[in-house]
């Protein structure tokens, strides 16, 4: 575990300008803003991961929201998806509070780090395959720094699942062939030739489309988080009494 290394990585991510379309979009959104956030100074840069450097559980999303993480500078902070995710983390004892509204609101995660395979807000929430691949080295470096402690990962949605598997392989875990398919509740163990393995868990993304329609309910999300936390060796209210 290298806390300073992860901090330096986060700073480097925040300064990345590798994808012209994403740079233009995130900065345009930061200039024009949404009326409800007219008094905000938007972050308008790539959003690094959030959580302790010795995390045992990793949550992998898709990309920051234009008026969420791109505004606040913190993953899943200030948008409806984050409202659902952090409430569930709080419910199972992995977060200090149920809300995540701005980067200085005091939220702490317990043994959990949240990241994404794409660190810039993309137009229509859809990064291109090239943008996904260009951003992958950041995730690979983050995974390598987390390898001493991370034991489980929750991958949100098919995009997060498909984007993260090559990164796990590059970071030193063995991904089965053929690659396992995404499904809500899927569980796959990745072995590592030089260290502990990693348990991957599939979960529908906490998007408004999924949560508003009931495709993903709060209880479904809590169940995945509880199971993943136990696999990671984290204590939760259910396991600690």
């Amino acid at each position: 575990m290298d806390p300073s290394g992860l901090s330096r990585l986060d700073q480097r991510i925040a300064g990345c300008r590798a994808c012209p379309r994403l740079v233009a979009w995130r900065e345009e959104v930061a200039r024009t803003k949404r009326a409800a956030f007219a008094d905000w100074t938007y972050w308008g840069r790539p959003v690094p991961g959030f959580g302790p450097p010795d995390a045992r559980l990793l949550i992998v999303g898709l990309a920051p929201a234009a008026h969420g993480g791109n505004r606040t500078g913190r993953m899943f902070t200030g948008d409806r998806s984050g409202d659902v995710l952090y409430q569930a983390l709080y419910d199972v004892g992995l977060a200090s509070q149920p809300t995540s509204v701005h980067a200085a609101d005091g939220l702490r995660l317990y043994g959990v780090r949240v990241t994404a395979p794409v660190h810039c807000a993309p137009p229509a929430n859809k990064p291109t395959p090239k943008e996904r691949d260009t951003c992958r080295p950041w995730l690979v470096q983050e995974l390598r720094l987390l390898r001493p402690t991370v034991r489980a990962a929750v991958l949100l949605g098919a995009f997060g699942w498909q984007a993260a598997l090559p990164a796990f392989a590059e970071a030193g875990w063995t991904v089965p062939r053929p690659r396992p398919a995404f499904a809500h509740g899927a569980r796959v163990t990745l072995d590592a030739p030089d260290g502990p393995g990693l348990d991957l868990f599939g979960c529908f993304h906490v998007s408004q489309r999924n949560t508003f329609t009931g495709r993903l309910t709060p209880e479904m999300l809590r169940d995945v988080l509880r199971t993943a936390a136990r696999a990671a060796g984290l204590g939760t209210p259910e396991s600690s009494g």
Side-chain angles (χ1 to χ4, degrees), residues 5-28:
L6 199 55
S7 177
R8 290 194 299 270
L9 177 65
D10 290 345
Q11 293 174 8
R12 291 171 58 210
I13 289 172
C16 182
R17 300 182 64 84
C19 299
R21 187 184 77 118
L22 297 187
V23 171
W25 171 254
R26 78 192 190 207
E27 293 180 353
E28 174 65 16

Side-chain angles (χ1 to χ4, degrees), residues 8-99:
R8 290 194 299 270
L9 177 65
D10 290 345
Q11 293 174 8
R12 291 171 58 210
I13 289 172
C16 182
R17 300 182 64 84
C19 299
R21 187 184 77 118
L22 297 187
V23 171
W25 171 254
R26 78 192 190 207
E27 293 180 353
E28 174 65 16
V29 170
R31 283 192 298 270
T32 58
K33 307 182 182 181
R34 178 176 284 171
F37 307 121
D39 59 342
W40 275 77
T41 299
Y42 275 52
W43 173 256
R45 290 184 278 164
V47 181
F50 167 59
D54 59 350
R56 297 186 66 86
L57 174 62
L58 186 67
I59 297 175
V60 182
L62 189 161
H67 301 281
N70 189 56
R71 170 173 59 92
T72 64
R74 193 169 71 189
M75 285 288 178
F76 281 107
T77 296
D79 61 56
R80 296 284 182 86
S81 295
D83 292 345
V84 174
L85 176 62
Y86 288 115
Q87 177 71 61
L89 287 168
Y90 175 78
D91 289 343
V92 301
L94 298 175
S96 64
Q97 61 193 45
T99 58

Side-chain angles (χ1 to χ4, degrees), residues 58-167:
L58 186 67
I59 297 175
V60 182
L62 189 161
H67 301 281
N70 189 56
R71 170 173 59 92
T72 64
R74 193 169 71 189
M75 285 288 178
F76 281 107
T77 296
D79 61 56
R80 296 284 182 86
S81 295
D83 292 345
V84 174
L85 176 62
Y86 288 115
Q87 177 71 61
L89 287 168
Y90 175 78
D91 289 343
V92 301
L94 298 175
S96 64
Q97 61 193 45
T99 58
S100 180
V101 294
H102 59 82
D105 60 10
L107 174 65
R108 289 177 294 135
L109 300 182
Y110 303 133
V112 179
R113 184 170 172 88
V114 181
T115 192
V118 175
H119 286 277
C120 290
N125 292 320
K126 293 181 179 180
T128 66
K130 182 179 179 180
E131 289 162 349
R132 174 201 64 199
D133 294 346
T134 298
C135 209
R136 182 180 298 143
W138 294 126
L139 180 58
V140 172
Q141 292 178 62
E142 187 173 16
L143 290 170
R144 286 173 175 161
L145 289 167
L146 291 169
R147 274 198 67 183
T149 59
V150 70
R151 298 294 177 266
V154 174
L155 310 184
L156 299 175
F159 182 96
W161 180 275
Q162 294 163 3
L165 287 178

Side-chain angles (χ1 to χ4, degrees), residues 173-185:
W173 287 279
T174 302
V175 176
R177 296 281 187 177
R179 286 181 183 170
F182 170 79
H184 181 83

